[in-house]
């Protein structure tokens, strides 16, 4: 076996290993960063005999935040009536700056989880009729009559390899609905079209 053949085989082993290790490592570091961020919100240190060295228990802050969030969800779902939540949100709606952040963030979270999810209807949108250029996105609003527009729909286009995107209002006739799971559509967009299942 020649030296060139050995190097070629070793390189192919490296590429195959990279295809396995790189996505795994990237996913691990993303999850680790998210865990560390949440854990640092409530960082509890337990004093020890050494005054310069406190005991830190990793994960305790995350457990407290997750448990507290579940407790609040239980309280508002079972113990307290919906009207109390409406009273609190009504009070927040009268705070000039706070209401912008609160309701925008609430709508963002509701778009991904809960009963009012928005990113569940994928669509192909004709962006340029002459050049036949299309983009894939998600229908977030089918009815825009509240802003005085009746013949347009709101489509959100996530960016590839980024946690960002654009909201575009397009004519309804330029939109073709996709009968695919939203997770597959998001994966296709975020990967830049690289991640395509056979059913696409």
């Amino acid at each position: 076996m020649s030296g060139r053949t050995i190097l070629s085989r070793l390189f192919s082993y490296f590429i195959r290993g990279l295809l396995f290790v790189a996505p795994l490592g990237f996913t691990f570091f993303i999850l680790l960063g998210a865990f560390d961020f949440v854990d640092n919100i409530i960082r509890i240190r337990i004093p020890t005999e050494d005054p310069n060295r406190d005991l830190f228990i990793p994960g305790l802050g995350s457990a407290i935040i997750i448990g507290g969030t579940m407790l609040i969800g239980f309280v508002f779902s079972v113990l307290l009536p919906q009207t109390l939540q409406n009273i609190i949100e009504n009070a927040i709606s009268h705070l000039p700056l706070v209401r912008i952040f609160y309701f925008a963030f609430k709508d963002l979270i509701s778009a991904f989880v809960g009963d009012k999810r928005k990113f569940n209807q994928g669509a192909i949108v004709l962006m340029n009729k002459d050049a036949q250029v299309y983009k894939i996105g998600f229908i977030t609003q089918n009815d825009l009559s509240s802003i005085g527009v009746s013949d347009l729909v709101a489509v959100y286009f996530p960016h590839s390899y980024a946690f960002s995107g654009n909201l575009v209002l397009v004519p309804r006739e330029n939109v073709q609905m996709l009968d695919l799971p939203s997770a597959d559509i998001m994966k296709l967009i975020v990967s830049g079209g690289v991640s395509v299942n056979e059913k696409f």
Side-chain angles (χ1 to χ4, degrees):
M1 187 179 293
S2 66
R4 183 184 292 272
T5 304
I6 293 174
L7 287 176
S8 176
R9 182 164 295 182
L10 289 175
F11 182 72
S12 70
Y13 292 156
F14 172 76
I15 294 299
R16 291 187 65 181
L18 185 65
L19 289 173
F20 176 76
V21 172
L24 195 64
F26 181 75
T27 303
F28 173 77
F29 281 112
I30 289 291
L31 294 176
L32 182 64
F35 171 80
D36 191 52
F37 173 78
V38 173
D39 205 36
N40 281 326
I41 295 175
I42 300 179
R43 183 172 284 268
I44 299 175
R45 298 187 179 276
I46 303 172
T48 61
E49 295 179 357
D50 185 355
N52 297 322
R53 187 173 184 180
D54 295 336
L55 177 63
F56 169 66
I57 303 176
L60 182 59
S62 297
I64 292 173
I65 290 176
I66 293 172
T69 303
M70 292 174 65
L71 178 62
I72 292 172
F74 171 77
V75 168
F76 276 98
S77 299
V78 179
L79 302 180
L80 297 178
Q82 184 70 27
T83 52
L84 180 60
Q85 184 177 352
N86 293 337
I87 291 172
I88 294 173
E89 291 193 345
N90 185 51
I92 292 175
S93 68
H94 290 86
L95 301 175
L97 189 60
V98 176
R99 67 182 179 190
I100 296 174
F101 293 106
Y102 174 82
F103 287 106
F105 195 63
K106 180 185 177 183
D107 290 341
L108 177 63
I109 293 177
S110 299
F112 289 97
V113 296
D115 300 328
K116 300 179 180 179
R117 283 181 290 181
K118 293 293 184 181
F119 293 93
N120 56 3
Q121 178 58 68
I124 297 178
V125 180
L126 176 62
M127 304 301 293
N128 188 314
K129 191 173 183 179
D130 295 331
Q132 289 293 296
V133 175
Y134 295 84
K135 288 186 74 172
I136 298 177
F138 293 92
I139 302 290
T140 55
Q141 292 291 340
N142 261 314
D143 184 8
L144 296 174
S145 57
S146 60
I147 60 173
V149 181
S150 58
D151 56 342
L152 299 179
V153 295
V155 183
Y156 180 76
F157 297 105
H159 291 148
S160 299
Y161 298 102
F163 295 101
S164 60
N166 293 321
L167 176 66
V168 180
L169 305 183
V170 297
R172 193 181 301 272
E173 62 268 16
N174 288 357
V175 177
Q176 176 185 345
M177 303 299 180
L178 289 174
D179 187 19
L180 294 168
S182 57
D184 290 343
I185 298 171
M186 184 67 81
K187 185 168 63 173
L188 172 67
I189 297 171
V190 171
S191 69
V194 175
S195 181
V196 180
N197 293 337
E198 291 182 1
K199 59 186 176 182
F200 285 128

